[in-house]
Amino acid sequence: MLEQTLAIVKPDAVRKKYAGSILARYEKEGFRVRALKMRLLSKTEAEGFYAVHRERPFFGSLVNFMVGGPVVLVVLEKDNAILAHRKLMGATDPAKADKDTLRALYGESIESNAVHGSDSPETARFEIPYFFSTTEIIG
Ligand code: ATP
Ligand code: MG
């Protein structure tokens, strides 16, 4: 089924100039880029985006990391995009991520792990409109 997922090139990867390589990989893997923008997230936006993790010990650090530099927000589309993108990202901890995944290639730690991806259709339904209005998504 044709699906959309939210991808974020996180501040560590933007800072290290990996955004272009990551977008090129998305195109190479058959994703269509339906929306794209670079943003500096506010603390409130980052806290709201990762609200499911509010009680986790790493929440404060995660929010600080996510507002520490610009991110690239992307809506990707493909058959089974959500699962396909999670597979391409690799495990949360880059040290445990499969070879050739984005986190293995570009991540530096369990927190600074280069990319985000929606993890279910419900999450994607929350995350895509969190950053994009319908007019910003090009069908
Ligand atoms: P994401 O939601 O960013 O796509 P994920 O679904 O693989 O990543 P989650 O468990 O949802 O992983 O964690 C969200 C983010 O919080 C991680 O991507 C990482 O940046 C950070 N994080 C997760 N676990 C830890 C940890 N133990 N220590 C520090 N940061 C962590
Ligand atoms: Mg997650």
Side-chain angles (χ1 to χ4, degrees):
M1 194 191 46
L2 202 59
E3 268 181 348
Q4 292 185 342
T5 189
L6 182 81
I8 304 179
V9 183
K10 294 184 178 182
D12 59 317
V14 174
R15 191 175 301 118
K16 289 156 97 176
K17 303 194 172 87
Y18 293 144
S21 303
I22 291 169
L23 289 170
R25 183 72 183 275
Y26 289 152
E27 291 186 324
K28 178 168 172 262
E29 300 289 342
F31 291 93
R32 304 289 302 271
V33 173
R34 292 303 191 192
L36 179 68
K37 60 185 163 191
M38 183 153 78
R39 285 279 318 282
L40 198 49
L41 301 185
S42 70
K43 193 154 182 265
T44 307
E45 271 179 317
E47 285 170 348
F49 183 76
Y50 276 125
V52 290
H53 295 311
R54 202 181 297 118
E55 305 305 324
R56 308 283 283 275
F58 57 80
F59 182 69
S61 177
L62 170 61
V63 167
N64 281 333
F65 160 62
M66 289 301 289
V67 304
V71 295
V72 177
L73 304 163
V74 193
V75 177
L76 296 173
E77 187 178 270
K78 183 182 172 164
D79 273 340
N80 301 310
I82 295 167
L83 213 61
H85 182 233
R86 293 292 297 190
K87 227 178 139 196
L88 179 61
M89 286 163 56
T92 307
D93 182 353
K96 295 180 183 152
D98 288 344
K99 192 170 162 283
D100 235 33
T101 59
L102 295 173
R103 283 168 165 169
L105 289 168
Y106 305 119
E108 57 190 41
S109 70
I110 193 163
E111 179 176 86
S112 297
N113 58 6
V115 285
H116 162 84
S118 308
D119 62 7
S120 71
E122 294 68 35
T123 312
R125 270 197 293 278
F126 165 74
E127 291 182 348
I128 293 171
Y130 193 86
F131 290 119
F132 292 97
S133 64
T134 50
T135 55
E136 291 177 308
I137 301 170
I138 313 301

